[in-house]
């Protein structure tokens, strides 16, 4: 981004994905990109309306849908809350979501690369794993609740 075009990077992202550059798309992409965590559609709308009060919630939802369909953002369901959105970057990652405290930990794609390879080798199946949430207990909650890997395995077989 340059001083003369603060949205230059976002414009390039939209054009690369074959999308028409609109103020709404620029604002949504910028808001998602500048967030320090995954945002819900409502959070995106709220942040945009702080500076542009006239933008409608429906516009944000339609914009999110077009950005998702173009492969520019991902939509994830991380537990009980609404879907969250983030820009799809060069590093594929996934989420470990704690059922007890709601903590979300990002992990890289390496474990799923092995799973995809094994599924292909054993079943001829080509799995799409662009963005996955795995639910369970984080290390802290497992310790506090007295769960060990053995008790977790026993619970899974019931």
């Amino acid at each position: 981004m340059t001083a003369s075009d603060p949205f230059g990077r976002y414009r390039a992202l939209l054009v690369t994905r074959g999308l028409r550059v609109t103020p709404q798309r620029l604002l949504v992409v910028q808001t998602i990109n500048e967030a320090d965590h995954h945002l819900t559609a409502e959070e995106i709308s709220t942040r945009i309306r702080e500076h542009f009060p006239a933008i409608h919630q429906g516009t944000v939802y339609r914009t999110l849908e077009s950005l998702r369909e173009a492969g520019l953002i991902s939509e994830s369901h991380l537990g009980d809350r609404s879907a969250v959105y983030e820009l799809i970057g060069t590093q594929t990652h996934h989420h470990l979501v704690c059922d007890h405290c709601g903590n979300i930990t990002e992990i890289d794609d390496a474990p799923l690369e092995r799973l995809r390879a094994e599924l292909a080798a054993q079943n001829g199946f080509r799995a799409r794993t662009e963005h996955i949430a795995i639910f369970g207990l984080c290390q802290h909650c497992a310790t506090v609740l007295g769960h060990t890997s053995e008790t977790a395995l026993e619970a899974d077989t019931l």
Side-chain angles (χ1 to χ4, degrees):
M1 292 187 296
T2 65
S4 61
D5 185 6
F7 291 102
R9 178 172 180 252
Y10 308 125
R11 285 180 202 285
L13 285 171
L14 292 169
V15 170
T16 300
R17 296 298 181 153
L19 293 173
R20 192 168 50 89
V21 176
T22 66
Q24 295 85 353
R25 287 180 178 156
L26 288 171
L27 288 169
V28 170
V29 169
Q30 178 188 29
T31 302
I32 293 171
N33 186 57
E34 292 178 352
D36 60 354
H37 64 281
H38 300 58
L39 298 174
T40 65
E42 183 61 38
E43 290 170 325
I44 293 166
S45 293
T46 299
R47 288 180 181 208
I48 292 172
R49 280 195 302 265
E50 288 173 2
H51 305 285
F52 301 95
I55 196 163
H56 295 280
Q57 181 76 17
T59 301
V60 172
Y61 277 105
R62 286 189 301 278
T63 302
L64 288 168
E65 182 63 20
S66 68
L67 296 172
R68 189 189 61 74
E69 287 174 357
L72 189 59
I73 64 171
S74 67
E75 175 185 77
S76 300
H77 297 272
L78 304 176
D80 293 338
R81 55 187 284 202
S82 300
V84 293
Y85 300 88
E86 70 178 325
L87 285 180
I88 295 176
T90 56
Q91 289 285 67
T92 301
H93 70 276
H94 308 286
H95 301 96
L96 303 177
V97 182
C98 182
D99 290 326
H100 187 72
C101 71
N103 183 52
I104 299 170
T105 303
E106 290 187 2
I107 61 169
D108 70 19
D109 192 49
L112 291 171
E113 285 177 17
R114 293 187 297 275
L115 175 62
R116 283 190 300 274
E118 192 171 317
L119 289 171
Q122 292 181 5
N123 304 299
F125 188 79
R126 305 292 184 248
R128 289 185 309 105
T129 59
E130 295 88 13
H131 209 120
I132 292 182
I134 301 170
F135 296 86
L137 291 176
C138 68
Q139 184 176 10
H140 173 76
C141 290
T143 301
V144 169
L145 297 172
H147 290 276
T148 64
S149 58
E150 292 80 25
T151 58
L153 289 174
E154 289 171 9
D156 285 345
T157 59
L158 296 177

